[in-house]
Each structure stands twice: as structure tokens, then as C-alpha cells.
Amino acid sequence: MNSVPAYQAVVIGASSGGLHALKKMLPAIPRDFPCPILIVQHISPVSENYLTVILDKVSQINIKEADEKEPILAGTAYVAPPDYHLLVEADKTLSFSVEDKVNYSRPSIDVLFQTAADAYNEHLVGILLTGANADGSEGMSYIKKRGGFTIVQDPADAESPVMPKTAIMQQEPDMILTLDGIIEQLLKPGFIFPEKKSHQ
Amino acid sequence: MIVTSIQNPDLDDDSLVENVELELLLQAVYLKYGYDFREYSRAHIKRRVLHYIANKRLPNISSLQHELLIEKKCFDELLQELSINVTEMFRGPGFYKSIREKVAGLLKTYPYIKIWHAGCSTGEEVYSMAILLKEEGLYDRTQIYATDFNPRVVKSAREATFPLKYIKEYTSNYQKSGGQESFSDYYRATNSSVIFDRSLTKNMVFAEHNLVTDRVFAEVNMIISRNVLIYFNRHLQNKVLSLFDESLSTGGFLGLGNKETISFSDIAPKYKIIDAREKIYKKSHE
């Protein structure tokens, strides 16, 4: 029988070096990926939506800039727009805020991770990638507190090790993996995907 | 009012308790002080409330509720926490450029222009609009109403005084918005602040007005309300857009933040898009 999937959403936070990492990671996600993906990549406030355009071009799943009050759907990756914090509401829709920068960042990874953890509780996977600042650490701890699963990119594998290192020091993640390892984990049957069915 | 969004069967107990506490807090704030945050985007409000109780070293939301019921000062502080006042002059310069290029020409055909800045915060965008209108030769026949629910920012906006440290950025925004004059002609600088010219403030009226609980107060030709609706849930957004619609004369303009839209609201059929990117609309019929 079908059981409730363990995880209902994946959040990804990245800063310096993140574009390379995301360009490697997102194209590896198959079209039938059963979860939505929510992404904060630190980006200049005046940048156009080129990040989304580039990633969408190379990916099988649909990648788009998040819209206000948009319902969160599987098979789609939502990217926080420049200069807005991205938040998840309890009814699994997206909302924005332009309140002060958090960790010198807007969008902030902590803001997305904390609100997503409140909405998804233990059904959330948090992934923190390369970066040169401390954003995301609080958010990762909060995901843990709510019972979710956390993966930090191996600082030795990251283009900028500070952000993953800071998160690991604050709270031991469930897994520390290279980028390739993270991709492998996301595709592993029994994690996000259901266990492989026996041959029919 | 029954709020279904908090009754999520997936919630673990801590999370559920916190959501119930938050719901009761917003109810208490409304009953005691008349400010209605119950239909604000909940994730946002929760973040701000948790931030406040962490700063105040309160153990939980319920203790905040008790404290603010007996202590007005505590409520005043929370109100500041819930009031987002991140703004700048000529914020998102493309918006002002579009007003210059696509709206000002039409406003010139009006004998008298009334503009409402709804959610004006500390006033930076109100002064920006006044400068734009002055340069377009329209300001002398314009009346600007600038309102916010937060009495503290309304007072500050009225003073026409802004920190000097941002003026370089504002000057750059002004130029990007299509401003051709010398921006420094509009203010005089002191050691730490700039004070905008009396010729700009003369047609401005600042007042407290709460979009959630107050009614229409004037018929206007243009409403500017950027990044205000993002804090409301869809139901409240629709309600506030209807309030804007009631206030706007036919042919009037509505300017929202670039991630806001009227497309999901009841008023959408009456409006045509002037600038899809900068979210400028025109009310085409009643």
C-alpha cells in the first residue's frame, strides 16, 4: 500500500559559488521528482531574473521565480526573487517580505528555512551549499528542531566553505556530502522517491 | 472566526501550540487595541513576533499576550516590530520612470490631481513623487494624501528629514528614474541629515489610516501602495484592493509593488495594464 511520503519539500540555500553548484545539481533532478524545491541563492538586489532563466534552460524540472501567494507544487523549483525574502505559509503557499536584511541578505536563507520548517515540520529536507557568510545556520538548526532532515555540502567540496562550515559548527547535520553525494542522496529510492517497486 | 490553516494534522505538538498562541495573541491585540493583524500573512507575523519575544527574553507568545494586555508600552513596541519600514527614495527607479513616461502625460489633462500613498512608511516615496510631479509641471495642482497605520512613521514622514548617509544612493535612484535636475537642489544637508524643501511639502497631508480597519476617505486619481499587499492574505488583499477601487475615480491609476498583482482580485476586470512589469494599472470603467 501507498504510505504518506516521508518528505514533502526540499529547501536549498546557497551563496557565493551557488550558481555553479545549482547548475550542476538541478539538471540531475528528474522530471518526476516527487517534491517541490524552494531555493534561496544570494543575489544582487538589482539583478534581473537571469538565474532562473539559466537554471530552467538546463533542467528537466520546471524552474521559476517564485510568485506571491503561489501554491507550491511538486516537480517545480521556486527561486526567491532578488531583494525579497521568500516565506512559506502553513497552507503551502509562498509569500514575500521586504523587511530588513537578515545576515546582510535579502533574500535570506534563514527566513525561507524557518518558515518552511514551520509549514512542513518533519517532512522537510534542508540542503545548505557553498557560501561565504553565516546565513542558513539558524535555519538548518530550526529544521532539525522541527524534525526535518538536514544535509550540508562538505566544506572541502564547496567553492566557498564558510557557510557550510558555520552550519556544521552550530548543529551537526544528518549528512555532510559532496555535491555529487547530495545528488545521489536525492535520487536514492526510499528517501524522496518511494522504495523501488518489485517487478510487476 | 475559525482559522483552518492552524489545524494542520501534520503539525507536531510544539508547532501547533505556537500557532494557537499566535492566533490568540492577534485576537487579543484586535480586541484590546483595535489593530487587526489576523489576516496578515501568518508566516511573516510569526517571524516578527518570535523575533520580538526573543529580544524581550519572554518564554513564549502567551506571556507576551499577557504583558501587552496590561502594558500599553509593550503593545506599542510590538506594533513597531510588525510595521515594516524598509523604503528608499525613488525605490525601484523603473517604477518612477514608467510614471514619468506613461502616466504623467495623462495626468496633465486633469485640472486637479489627488494622489494617495497608502502605507507611506517614513515618506521617502512620497517626496520622490512630489519631485517627479514638480519636474513634470504638475505639483502645484496636486494634493498628496500619505497614510500609514503606524503613528510613529507618519510623524517622521511629516518632518521631511532623512539620514544623510543614504543620499548618494537616492541620487543615483533619482537619475535612473529619469530625473534630469540636480537632486541636491531639493534639500539642504546638515551634519547627519537632509531636509527637503518646503516647496515639496506644501501640498502633502500626512495622516494615520489603517487599510484593514478604516474606510475610504477621499476620491483620488492615483493610488500608490508598493509592497504593502504582500503582507496580507488573499482575502484581505482582495478587500483592500476593493477599498482602493472605491477610492479611485474612473481613469485613475493604481501603482503596486513589482511582485504584487490585481489579477486574482474582484477588481481586475475593471482595470487595464499600463506597465506589466512595474504593476501600474488604469481603472478603465466603473
Side-chain angles (χ1 to χ4, degrees), chain A residues 8 46 48 65-70 81 83-85 87-92 95-102 106 110-111 114-115 117-123 142 145-147, chain B residues 5-6 8 10-12 14-16 18-19 40-48 50 84-86 88 91 176 226-227 229-234 237 257-261 264 277:
Chain A
Q8 295 170 358
V46 292
E48 297 293 324
E65 192 174 277
D67 277 318
E68 219 264 311
K69 302 290 185 285
E70 181 171 26
D83 215 22
Y84 285 87
H85 292 302
L87 295 81
V88 181
E89 298 293 324
D91 64 358
K92 318 288 198 291
S95 64
F96 294 130
S97 143
V98 289
E99 69 194 89
D100 288 331
K101 292 178 178 181
V102 175
R106 188 172 55 227
D110 279 345
V111 172
Q114 286 166 357
T115 55
D118 270 341
Y120 288 101
N121 288 290
E122 71 272 29
H123 305 297
Y142 199 77
K145 189 180 147 197
R146 288 280 185 244
Chain B
S5 62
I6 64 168
N8 179 346
D10 295 340
L11 286 186
D12 66 43
D14 284 355
S15 198
L16 179 61
E18 213 168 64
N19 290 356
Y40 271 56
S41 145
R42 201 47 71 87
H44 161 73
I45 290 289
K46 186 168 177 179
R47 262 186 58 72
R48 304 302 296 187
L50 292 180
I84 303 300
N85 299 301
V86 175
E88 54 192 71
R91 176 191 206 178
K176 284 182 201 149
R226 300 170 74 206
N227 292 326
L229 294 173
I230 51 172
Y231 299 110
F232 302 160
N233 73 18
R234 270 273 191 261
Q237 285 178 350
N258 66 358
K259 294 305 277 182
E260 294 166 330
T261 174
F264 301 99
R277 184 192 158 89

Side-chain angles (χ1 to χ4, degrees), chain B residues 76-270:
Chain B
D76 290 340
E77 283 175 15
L78 181 69
L79 193 65
Q80 298 312 313
E81 187 75 39
L82 297 180
S83 167
I84 303 300
N85 299 301
V86 175
T87 182
E88 54 192 71
M89 293 199 75
F90 292 95
R91 176 191 206 178
F95 176 83
Y96 292 91
K97 195 162 200 285
S98 189
I99 295 283
R100 273 185 209 271
E101 290 169 358
K102 296 175 179 163
V103 176
L106 290 158
L107 293 178
K108 281 176 186 161
T109 64
Y110 293 15
Y112 195 74
I113 304 158
K114 288 183 182 176
I115 298 176
W116 178 18
H117 276 261
C120 69
S121 186
T122 38
E124 282 81 345
E125 296 193 64
V126 184
Y127 289 86
S128 308
M129 184 59 76
I131 289 169
L132 187 160
L133 294 169
K134 197 172 177 192
E135 292 181 356
E136 296 294 326
L138 292 167
Y139 192 55
D140 283 340
R141 52 190 157 108
T142 299
Q143 174 73 59
I144 299 184
Y145 305 103
T147 65
D148 201 281
F149 77 78
N150 181 350
R152 200 179 291 185
V153 298
V154 172
K155 181 166 178 282
S156 156
R158 206 176 273 137
E159 284 163 4
T161 304
F162 301 100
L164 179 65
K165 61 180 173 182
Y166 302 125
I167 208 71
K168 203 171 154 193
E169 191 188 340
Y170 293 172
T171 305
S172 156
N173 280 355
Y174 164 74
Q175 286 158 353
K176 284 182 201 149
S177 81
Q180 304 282 331
E181 309 294 320
S182 160
F183 191 57
S184 58
D185 288 350
Y186 293 111
Y187 61 81
R188 66 192 159 80
T190 68
N191 280 341
S192 60
S193 55
V194 297
I195 302 158
F196 277 83
D197 197 73
R198 168 84 194 117
S199 68
L200 295 172
T201 54
K202 63 175 184 177
N203 295 342
M204 294 176 185
V205 174
F206 292 94
E208 270 179 60
H209 179 277
N210 191 318
L211 291 170
V212 187
T213 48
D214 292 336
R215 308 291 302 267
V216 173
F217 65 91
E219 183 174 324
V220 298
N221 308 106
M222 180 153 79
I223 296 177
I224 308 294
S225 186
R226 300 170 74 206
N227 292 326
V228 175
L229 294 173
I230 51 172
Y231 299 110
F232 302 160
N233 73 18
R234 270 273 191 261
H235 180 258
L236 182 56
Q237 285 178 350
N238 195 38
K239 188 179 139 186
V240 172
L241 283 169
S242 293
L243 173 73
F244 288 166
D245 181 54
E246 279 174 55
S247 309
L248 264 184
S249 54
T250 304
F253 298 92
L254 174 63
L256 302 177
N258 66 358
K259 294 305 277 182
E260 294 166 330
T261 174
I262 65 166
S263 13
F264 301 99
S265 74
D266 295 343
I267 71 164
K270 295 190 217 172

Side-chain angles (χ1 to χ4, degrees), chain A:
Chain A
M1 279 307 293
N2 288 339
S3 57
V4 179
Y7 298 111
Q8 295 170 358
V10 176
V11 287
I12 301 174
S15 187
S16 157
L19 182 57
H20 286 136
L22 291 170
K23 262 170 91 175
K24 187 170 176 190
M25 196 171 150
L26 293 172
I29 309 284
R31 196 184 293 276
D32 62 347
F33 193 69
C35 278
I37 299 172
L38 306 166
I39 301 169
V40 165
Q41 159 72 53
H42 290 163
I43 196 163
S44 148
V46 292
S47 58
E48 297 293 324
N49 63 344
Y50 76 93
L51 172 70
T52 312
V53 175
I54 292 170
L55 292 175
D56 190 50
K57 219 171 259 177
V58 295
S59 303
Q60 301 170 55
I61 55 167
N62 179 27
I63 295 178
K64 69 182 296 289
E65 192 174 277
D67 277 318
E68 219 264 311
K69 302 290 185 285
E70 181 171 26
I72 301 169
L73 304 172
T76 302
Y78 303 87
V79 181
D83 215 22
Y84 285 87
H85 292 302
L86 178 63
L87 295 81
V88 181
E89 298 293 324
D91 64 358
K92 318 288 198 291
T93 58
L94 296 170
S95 64
F96 294 130
S97 143
V98 289
E99 69 194 89
D100 288 331
K101 292 178 178 181
V102 175
N103 305 313
Y104 312 101
S105 309
R106 188 172 55 227
S108 146
I109 300 167
D110 279 345
V111 172
L112 171 66
F113 282 17
Q114 286 166 357
T115 55
D118 270 341
Y120 288 101
N121 288 290
E122 71 272 29
H123 305 297
L124 183 69
V125 177
I127 300 174
L128 193 66
L129 302 175
T130 168
N133 60 62
D135 198 14
S137 290
E138 289 291 332
M140 289 293 265
S141 297
Y142 199 77
I143 292 173
K144 264 312 343 146
K145 189 180 147 197
R146 288 280 185 244
F149 193 90
T150 55
I151 306 172
V152 175
Q153 185 179 10
D154 185 344
D157 181 62
E159 211 173 301
S160 290
V162 174
M163 201 162 83
K165 227 182 231 171
T166 310
I168 292 165
M169 268 156 44
Q170 177 160 337
Q171 159 99 46
E172 195 185 336
D174 293 299
M175 288 179 158
I176 299 171
L177 298 169
T178 63
L179 206 52
D180 289 325
I182 295 171
I183 295 167
E184 197 180 311
Q185 176 64 26
L186 285 176
L187 304 184
K188 198 178 272 179
F191 185 57
I192 305 270
F193 280 99
E195 292 287 353
K196 268 210 178 88
K197 286 178 194 146
S198 55
H199 213 67
Q200 292 180 353

